[in-house]
Coordinates of all heavy atoms in Angstrom, one line a residue:
M1141 N 137.8 134.8 111.9 CA 138.1 135.2 113.3 C 139.5 134.7 113.7 O 140.1 135.4 114.5 CB 137.1 134.5 114.2 CG 135.6 135.0 114.0 SD 135.4 136.7 114.4 CE 135.5 136.6 116.2
T1142 N 140.0 133.6 113.2 CA 141.3 133.1 113.6 C 142.4 134.1 113.2 O 143.3 134.4 113.9 CB 141.5 131.7 113.1 OG1 140.5 130.9 113.5 CG2 142.9 131.2 113.5
S1143 N 142.3 134.6 111.9 CA 143.3 135.5 111.5 C 143.3 136.8 112.3 O 144.4 137.3 112.5 CB 143.1 135.7 110.0 OG 141.9 136.4 109.7
A1144 N 142.2 137.2 112.7 CA 142.1 138.5 113.5 C 142.8 138.2 114.8 O 143.5 139.1 115.3 CB 140.7 138.9 113.7
K1145 N 142.6 137.1 115.4 CA 143.2 136.8 116.7 C 144.7 136.6 116.6 O 145.5 137.0 117.4 CB 142.6 135.5 117.3 CG 141.2 135.7 117.8 CD 140.6 134.5 118.3 CE 139.1 134.7 118.7 NZ 138.5 133.5 119.3
L1146 N 145.2 136.0 115.5 CA 146.6 135.9 115.2 C 147.2 137.2 115.0 O 148.4 137.5 115.5 CB 146.9 135.0 114.0 CG 146.6 133.5 114.2 CD1 146.6 132.8 112.8 CD2 147.5 132.9 115.1
R1147 N 146.5 138.2 114.4 CA 147.0 139.5 114.2 C 147.2 140.3 115.5 O 148.1 141.1 115.7 CB 146.1 140.3 113.3 CG 146.0 139.8 111.9 CD 147.2 140.1 111.1 NE 146.9 139.6 109.7 CZ 147.8 139.4 108.9 NH1 149.1 139.7 109.1 NH2 147.6 138.9 107.7
L1148 N 146.4 139.9 116.5 CA 146.5 140.6 117.8 C 147.8 140.1 118.5 O 148.4 140.9 119.2 CB 145.3 140.2 118.7 CG 144.0 140.9 118.3 CD1 142.9 140.3 119.2 CD2 144.1 142.4 118.5
V1149 N 148.2 138.9 118.3 CA 149.4 138.3 118.9 C 150.6 138.9 118.3 O 151.5 139.4 118.9 CB 149.4 136.8 118.8 CG1 150.7 136.2 119.3 CG2 148.2 136.2 119.6
D1150 N 150.6 138.9 116.9 CA 151.8 139.4 116.2 C 151.3 139.9 114.8 O 151.1 139.2 113.9 CB 152.8 138.3 116.0 CG 154.1 138.9 115.4 OD1 154.2 140.0 115.0 OD2 155.1 138.1 115.3
S1151 N 151.2 141.2 114.7 CA 150.6 141.8 113.5 C 151.5 141.8 112.3 O 151.1 142.0 111.1 CB 150.2 143.3 113.7 OG 151.3 144.0 114.0
S1152 N 152.8 141.5 112.5 CA 153.8 141.5 111.4 C 153.9 140.1 110.7 O 154.5 140.0 109.6 CB 155.2 141.9 111.9 OG 155.7 141.0 112.8
R1153 N 153.4 139.1 111.3 CA 153.5 137.7 110.7 C 152.4 137.5 109.6 O 151.3 137.9 109.8 CB 153.3 136.6 111.8 CG 154.3 136.7 112.9 CD 155.4 135.8 112.7 NE 156.3 136.0 113.8 CZ 157.3 135.2 114.0 NH1 157.5 134.2 113.2 NH2 158.1 135.4 115.0
P1154 N 152.8 136.8 108.6 CA 151.8 136.6 107.5 C 150.9 135.4 108.0 O 151.3 134.6 108.7 CB 152.7 136.1 106.3 CG 153.9 135.6 106.9 CD 154.2 136.4 108.2
V1155 N 149.7 135.5 107.5 CA 148.7 134.4 107.7 C 148.4 133.7 106.4 O 148.0 134.4 105.5 CB 147.4 135.0 108.4 CG1 146.4 133.9 108.6 CG2 147.7 135.7 109.7
W1156 N 148.7 132.4 106.4 CA 148.4 131.6 105.2 C 147.3 130.6 105.5 O 147.1 130.2 106.6 CB 149.7 130.8 104.8 CG 150.9 131.6 104.4 CD1 150.9 133.0 104.1 CD2 152.2 131.2 104.4 NE1 152.2 133.4 103.9 CE2 153.0 132.3 104.0 CE3 152.8 130.0 104.6 CZ2 154.4 132.2 103.9 CZ3 154.2 129.9 104.4 CH2 154.9 131.0 104.1
I1157 N 146.6 130.3 104.4 CA 145.5 129.3 104.5 C 145.8 128.3 103.4 O 146.3 128.7 102.3 CB 144.1 129.9 104.4 CG1 143.1 128.9 104.7 CG2 143.9 130.6 103.1 CD1 141.7 129.5 104.9
Y1158 N 145.6 127.0 103.6 CA 145.8 126.1 102.6 C 144.5 125.3 102.3 O 143.7 125.1 103.2 CB 146.9 125.1 102.9 CG 146.8 124.4 104.2 CD1 146.2 123.1 104.2 CD2 147.3 124.9 105.3 CE1 146.1 122.4 105.4 CE2 147.2 124.2 106.5 CZ 146.6 122.9 106.5 OH 146.5 122.2 107.7
T1159 N 144.3 124.9 101.1 CA 143.0 124.3 100.7 C 143.3 123.3 99.5 O 144.2 123.6 98.7 CB 142.0 125.3 100.3 OG1 140.8 124.7 99.8 CG2 142.5 126.3 99.2
P1160 N 142.6 122.2 99.4 CA 142.8 121.3 98.3 C 142.3 121.9 97.0 O 142.9 121.6 95.9 CB 142.1 120.0 98.7 CG 141.2 120.4 99.8 CD 141.7 121.6 100.4
K1161 N 141.3 122.7 97.0 CA 140.7 123.2 95.8 C 140.3 124.7 96.1 O 139.8 125.1 97.1 CB 139.4 122.5 95.5 CG 139.5 121.1 95.1 CD 138.2 120.6 94.6 CE 137.8 119.3 95.4 NZ 136.6 118.8 95.1
P1162 N 140.6 125.6 95.1 CA 140.2 127.0 95.3 C 138.7 127.2 95.2 O 138.0 126.5 94.4 CB 140.9 127.7 94.1 CG 141.1 126.6 93.1 CD 141.3 125.3 93.8
A1163 N 138.2 128.0 96.0 CA 136.8 128.3 96.0 C 136.5 129.5 95.1 O 137.4 130.3 94.8 CB 136.3 128.7 97.4
S1164 N 135.3 129.6 94.5 CA 135.0 130.6 93.5 C 135.0 132.0 94.2 O 135.4 133.0 93.5 CB 133.7 130.3 92.9 OG 132.7 130.3 93.9
A1165 N 134.6 132.1 95.4 CA 134.5 133.5 96.0 C 135.7 133.7 97.0 O 135.6 134.5 97.9 CB 133.2 133.6 96.8
L1166 N 136.7 132.9 96.8 CA 137.8 133.0 97.8 C 138.5 134.4 97.8 O 138.8 134.8 98.9 CB 138.9 131.9 97.3 CG 140.0 131.6 98.3 CD1 139.4 131.0 99.6 CD2 140.9 130.6 97.7
D1167 N 138.7 135.0 96.7 CA 139.4 136.3 96.7 C 138.6 137.4 97.5 O 139.2 138.1 98.3 CB 139.7 136.8 95.3 CG 140.7 136.0 94.6 OD1 141.6 135.4 95.3 OD2 140.6 135.9 93.4
Q1168 N 137.3 137.4 97.4 CA 136.5 138.4 98.1 C 136.6 138.1 99.6 O 136.7 139.0 100.4 CB 135.1 138.4 97.6 CG 135.0 138.8 96.2 CD 133.5 138.7 95.7 OE1 132.7 138.1 96.4 NE2 133.3 139.2 94.5
W1169 N 136.5 136.8 100.0 CA 136.5 136.4 101.4 C 137.8 136.7 102.0 O 137.9 137.2 103.1 CB 136.2 135.0 101.5 CG 136.1 134.5 102.9 CD1 135.1 134.6 103.8 CD2 137.2 133.8 103.6 NE1 135.4 134.1 105.0 CE2 136.7 133.6 104.9 CE3 138.4 133.4 103.3 CZ2 137.4 132.9 105.9 CZ3 139.2 132.7 104.2 CH2 138.7 132.5 105.5
L1170 N 138.9 136.5 101.3 CA 140.3 136.7 101.8 C 140.5 138.2 102.1 O 141.2 138.5 103.1 CB 141.3 136.2 100.8 CG 141.4 134.7 100.7 CD1 142.4 134.3 99.6 CD2 141.7 134.0 102.0
S1171 N 140.0 139.1 101.3 CA 140.3 140.5 101.6 C 139.6 140.9 102.9 O 140.1 141.8 103.6 CB 139.8 141.3 100.4 OG 138.4 141.2 100.3
M1172 N 138.5 140.3 103.2 CA 137.8 140.6 104.5 C 138.4 139.8 105.7 O 138.3 140.3 106.8 CB 136.3 140.3 104.4 CG 135.6 141.1 103.4 SD 133.8 140.8 103.4 CE 133.7 139.0 102.9
A1173 N 139.0 138.7 105.4 CA 139.4 137.8 106.5 C 140.9 138.2 107.0 O 141.3 137.7 108.0 CB 139.4 136.4 106.1
G1174 N 141.6 138.9 106.2 CA 143.0 139.3 106.6 C 144.0 138.2 106.3 O 145.0 138.1 106.9
I1175 N 143.7 137.3 105.3 CA 144.6 136.3 104.9 C 145.6 136.8 103.9 O 145.2 137.5 103.0 CB 143.9 135.1 104.3 CG1 142.8 134.5 105.3 CG2 144.8 134.0 103.9 CD1 143.4 134.0 106.6
D1176 N 146.9 136.5 104.1 CA 147.9 137.0 103.2 C 148.1 136.2 101.9 O 148.3 136.7 100.8 CB 149.3 137.1 103.9 CG 149.2 138.2 105.0 OD1 148.8 139.3 104.7 OD2 149.5 137.8 106.1
E1177 N 147.9 134.9 102.0 CA 148.2 134.0 100.9 C 147.4 132.7 101.0 O 147.2 132.2 102.1 CB 149.7 133.7 100.8 CG 150.1 133.0 99.6 CD 151.6 132.9 99.4 OE1 152.3 133.5 100.2 OE2 152.0 132.2 98.5
V1178 N 146.9 132.3 99.9 CA 146.2 131.0 99.8 C 147.1 130.0 99.1 O 147.6 130.3 98.0 CB 144.9 131.1 99.1 CG1 144.2 129.7 99.0 CG2 144.0 132.1 99.8
I1179 N 147.3 128.8 99.7 CA 148.1 127.8 99.1 C 147.1 126.7 98.7 O 146.5 126.0 99.5 CB 149.1 127.2 100.1 CG1 150.0 128.4 100.6 CG2 149.9 126.1 99.5 CD1 150.8 128.0 101.8
V1180 N 147.0 126.5 97.4 CA 146.2 125.4 96.8 C 147.1 124.3 96.5 O 148.0 124.4 95.7 CB 145.4 125.9 95.6 CG1 144.6 124.8 95.0 CG2 144.6 127.1 95.9
Y1181 N 146.8 123.1 97.2 CA 147.8 122.0 97.1 C 147.2 120.8 96.4 O 147.8 119.8 96.2 CB 148.3 121.6 98.4 CG 147.3 121.0 99.4 CD1 147.2 119.7 99.5 CD2 146.5 121.8 100.2 CE1 146.2 119.1 100.4 CE2 145.6 121.3 101.1 CZ 145.5 120.0 101.2 OH 144.6 119.4 102.1
G1182 N 145.9 120.9 96.0 CA 145.3 119.8 95.2 C 145.0 118.5 95.9 O 144.8 117.5 95.3
G1183 N 145.1 118.5 97.2 CA 144.8 117.3 98.0 C 146.0 116.4 98.2 O 145.9 115.4 98.9
V1184 N 147.2 116.7 97.7 CA 148.4 115.8 97.8 C 149.2 116.5 98.9 O 149.8 117.6 98.7 CB 149.2 115.7 96.5 CG1 150.4 114.9 96.7 CG2 148.3 115.2 95.4
L1185 N 149.3 115.8 100.1 CA 150.0 116.4 101.2 C 151.5 116.7 100.9 O 152.1 117.7 101.4 CB 149.8 115.6 102.4 CG 148.4 115.6 103.0 CD1 148.3 114.7 104.2 CD2 148.0 117.0 103.4
D1186 N 152.1 115.8 100.1 CA 153.5 116.1 99.8 C 153.7 117.4 99.0 O 154.7 118.1 99.2 CB 154.1 114.9 98.9 CG 154.4 113.7 99.7 OD1 154.6 113.8 100.9 OD2 154.4 112.6 99.1
T1187 N 152.7 117.7 98.2 CA 152.8 119.0 97.5 C 152.6 120.2 98.4 O 153.3 121.2 98.3 CB 151.6 119.1 96.4 OG1 151.7 118.0 95.6 CG2 151.6 120.4 95.6
L1188 N 151.8 120.0 99.4 CA 151.6 121.1 100.5 C 152.9 121.3 101.3 O 153.4 122.4 101.5 CB 150.5 120.7 101.4 CG 150.3 121.6 102.6 CD1 149.9 123.1 102.1 CD2 149.2 121.1 103.5
V1189 N 153.5 120.2 101.7 CA 154.8 120.2 102.4 C 155.9 120.9 101.6 O 156.6 121.8 102.1 CB 155.2 118.8 102.9 CG1 156.6 118.9 103.4 CG2 154.3 118.3 103.9
D1190 N 156.0 120.5 100.3 CA 157.0 121.2 99.4 C 156.7 122.6 99.2 O 157.6 123.5 99.3 CB 157.0 120.5 98.1 CG 157.6 119.1 98.1 OD1 158.2 118.7 99.1 OD2 157.3 118.3 97.2
S1191 N 155.5 123.0 99.1 CA 155.1 124.4 98.9 C 155.4 125.2 100.2 O 156.0 126.3 100.1 CB 153.6 124.5 98.6 OG 153.2 125.8 98.4
L1192 N 155.1 124.7 101.3 CA 155.4 125.4 102.6 C 156.9 125.5 102.8 O 157.4 126.6 103.2 CB 154.8 124.7 103.8 CG 153.2 124.7 103.8 CD1 152.7 123.8 104.9 CD2 152.8 126.1 104.0
H1193 N 157.6 124.5 102.5 CA 159.1 124.5 102.6 C 159.7 125.6 101.7 O 160.5 126.4 102.1 CB 159.7 123.1 102.2 CG 161.1 123.1 102.4 ND1 162.0 123.3 101.4 CD2 161.9 122.8 103.6 CE1 163.3 123.2 101.9 NE2 163.2 122.9 103.2
D1194 N 159.2 125.6 100.4 CA 159.7 126.6 99.5 C 159.4 128.1 100.0 O 160.3 128.9 99.9 CB 159.1 126.4 98.1 CG 159.6 125.2 97.4 OD1 160.7 124.7 97.8 OD2 159.0 124.8 96.4
R1195 N 158.2 128.3 100.4 CA 157.8 129.6 100.9 C 158.7 130.0 102.1 O 159.1 131.2 102.2 CB 156.4 129.6 101.3 CG 155.5 129.8 100.1 CD 154.0 129.6 100.5 NE 153.1 130.0 99.4 CZ 152.8 129.2 98.4 NH1 153.4 128.0 98.3 NH2 152.0 129.6 97.4
M1196 N 158.8 129.1 103.1 CA 159.6 129.4 104.3 C 161.1 129.7 103.9 O 161.7 130.6 104.5 CB 159.5 128.3 105.3 CG 158.1 128.1 105.9 SD 157.5 129.6 106.6 CE 158.6 129.8 108.0
S1197 N 161.6 128.9 103.0 CA 163.0 129.1 102.5 C 163.2 130.5 101.9 O 164.2 131.2 102.2 CB 163.4 128.0 101.5 OG 163.4 126.8 102.1
R1198 N 162.2 130.9 101.1 CA 162.3 132.2 100.5 C 162.2 133.3 101.5 O 162.9 134.3 101.5 CB 161.2 132.4 99.4 CG 161.6 131.7 98.1 CD 160.5 132.0 97.1 NE 159.3 131.3 97.6 CZ 158.2 131.1 97.0 NH1 158.1 131.5 95.8 NH2 157.2 130.4 97.5
K1199 N 161.3 133.2 102.5 CA 161.2 134.2 103.6 C 162.5 134.3 104.4 O 162.9 135.3 104.7 CB 160.0 133.8 104.5 CG 158.7 133.9 103.8 CD 157.9 135.0 104.4 CE 156.5 135.0 103.7 NZ 156.2 136.3 103.1
I1200 N 163.1 133.1 104.7 CA 164.3 133.1 105.5 C 165.4 133.7 104.7 O 166.2 134.5 105.3 CB 164.6 131.7 106.0 CG1 163.6 131.2 107.0 CG2 166.0 131.6 106.5 CD1 163.7 129.7 107.4
S1201 N 165.5 133.4 103.5 CA 166.5 134.0 102.6 C 166.4 135.5 102.5 O 167.4 136.2 102.6 CB 166.5 133.3 101.2 OG 167.4 133.9 100.4
A1202 N 165.2 136.0 102.3 CA 164.9 137.4 102.2 C 165.2 138.1 103.5 O 165.8 139.2 103.5 CB 163.5 137.7 101.8
A1203 N 164.9 137.5 104.6 CA 165.1 138.1 105.9 C 166.6 138.2 106.2 O 167.1 139.2 106.7 CB 164.5 137.3 107.0
S1204 N 167.4 137.2 105.8 CA 168.8 137.2 106.0 C 169.5 138.2 105.2 O 170.5 138.8 105.6 CB 169.4 135.8 105.8 OG 169.4 135.4 104.4
R1205 N 169.0 138.5 104.0 CA 169.6 139.6 103.2 C 169.3 141.0 103.7 O 170.0 141.9 103.5 CB 169.0 139.5 101.7 CG 169.6 138.4 100.9 CD 169.2 138.5 99.5 NE 167.8 138.6 99.2 CZ 167.0 137.6 98.9 NH1 167.5 136.4 98.8 NH2 165.7 137.8 98.7
N1206 N 168.2 141.1 104.5 CA 167.9 142.4 105.1 C 168.5 142.7 106.4 O 168.3 143.8 107.0 CB 166.3 142.5 105.2 CG 165.6 142.5 103.9 OD1 166.2 143.0 102.9 ND2 164.4 142.0 103.8
V1207 N 169.3 141.8 106.9 CA 169.9 142.0 108.2 C 171.2 142.8 107.9 O 172.0 142.4 107.1 CB 170.3 140.7 108.9 CG1 171.1 140.9 110.2 CG2 169.0 139.9 109.2
Y1208 N 171.4 143.9 108.6 CA 172.6 144.7 108.5 C 173.6 144.3 109.4 O 173.4 144.0 110.6 CB 172.2 146.2 108.7 CG 171.2 146.7 107.7 CD1 169.9 146.9 108.0 CD2 171.6 146.9 106.3 CE1 169.0 147.3 107.1 CE2 170.7 147.3 105.4 CZ 169.4 147.5 105.8 OH 168.5 148.0 104.9
N1209 N 174.8 144.4 109.0 CA 176.0 144.0 109.8 C 176.6 145.3 110.3 O 177.4 145.9 109.6 CB 177.0 143.2 109.0 CG 178.1 142.7 109.9 OD1 178.0 142.8 111.1 ND2 179.1 142.2 109.3
F1210 N 176.2 145.8 111.5 CA 176.8 147.0 112.0 C 178.0 146.7 112.8 O 178.1 145.8 113.6 CB 175.7 147.7 113.0 CG 174.6 148.2 112.3 CD1 173.3 147.6 112.4 CD2 174.7 149.3 111.5 CE1 172.2 148.1 111.7 CE2 173.6 149.8 110.8 CZ 172.3 149.2 111.0
R1211 N 179.1 147.5 112.6 CA 180.3 147.4 113.3 C 180.5 148.6 114.2 O 180.2 149.7 113.8 CB 181.5 147.2 112.4 CG 181.5 146.0 111.6 CD 182.7 145.9 110.7 NE 182.7 144.8 109.9 CZ 183.6 144.5 109.0 NH1 184.6 145.3 108.8 NH2 183.5 143.4 108.3
R1212 N 181.1 148.4 115.3 CA 181.4 149.5 116.2 C 182.6 150.2 115.5 O 183.5 149.6 115.0 CB 181.8 149.1 117.6 CG 180.6 148.6 118.3 CD 181.0 148.3 119.7 NE 179.8 148.3 120.5 CZ 179.8 148.1 121.8 NH1 181.0 148.0 122.4 NH2 178.7 148.1 122.5
P1213 N 182.7 151.5 115.6 CA 183.8 152.3 115.1 C 185.1 151.9 115.9 O 185.0 151.7 117.1 CB 183.4 153.7 115.3 CG 182.3 153.8 116.2 CD 181.6 152.4 116.2
T1214 N 186.2 151.9 115.2 CA 187.4 151.6 115.9 C 188.0 152.8 116.5 O 188.1 153.9 115.8 CB 188.4 151.0 114.9 OG1 187.8 149.9 114.2 CG2 189.7 150.6 115.5
A1215 N 188.4 152.8 117.7 CA 189.0 153.9 118.4 C 190.4 154.1 117.9 O 191.2 153.1 117.8 CB 188.9 153.8 119.9
I1216 N 190.8 155.3 117.7 CA 192.2 155.5 117.2 C 193.0 156.2 118.3 O 192.6 157.1 119.0 CB 192.2 156.4 116.0 CG1 191.5 155.7 114.9 CG2 193.7 156.8 115.6 CD1 191.4 156.5 113.6

């Protein structure tokens, strides 16, 4: 339900879920729940923080490469 409500606010944002251990039926549940990615961190919060930092850095880097630099034409 939470992922559906988040999608109503902004459908373009990814929804991630984190868990210390992967569940056996996780993949089937995720396809129905609308979750984009599962982060399994093994119960160590430093690992979770590092994983989130890496993912956010990659997203920011990819977004900055996709920004176009438009210039106005020079009048002659």
Side-chain angles (χ1 to χ4, degrees):
M1141 295 295 288
T1142 302
S1143 65
K1145 289 178 182 179
L1146 289 170
R1147 299 281 182 197
L1148 288 174
V1149 174
D1150 187 352
S1151 63
S1152 65
R1153 302 264 178 169
V1155 177
W1156 298 342
I1157 189 170
Y1158 58 89
T1159 178
K1161 295 186 236 177
S1164 59
L1166 194 60
D1167 292 331
Q1168 294 174 355
W1169 181 80
L1170 291 177
S1171 64
M1172 294 185 299
I1175 303 296
D1176 295 305
E1177 190 172 350
V1178 176
I1179 302 166
V1180 180
Y1181 67 96
V1184 179
L1185 291 178
D1186 285 336
T1187 304
L1188 176 60
V1189 170
D1190 291 343
S1191 180
L1192 291 172
H1193 184 265
D1194 290 343
R1195 282 174 170 77
M1196 293 303 295
S1197 295
R1198 282 183 292 191
K1199 294 244 183 238
I1200 290 169
S1201 177
S1204 66
R1205 285 192 305 264
N1206 292 331
V1207 174
Y1208 297 104
N1209 186 11
F1210 291 108
R1211 293 184 185 176
R1212 290 186 161 185
T1214 305
I1216 298 178

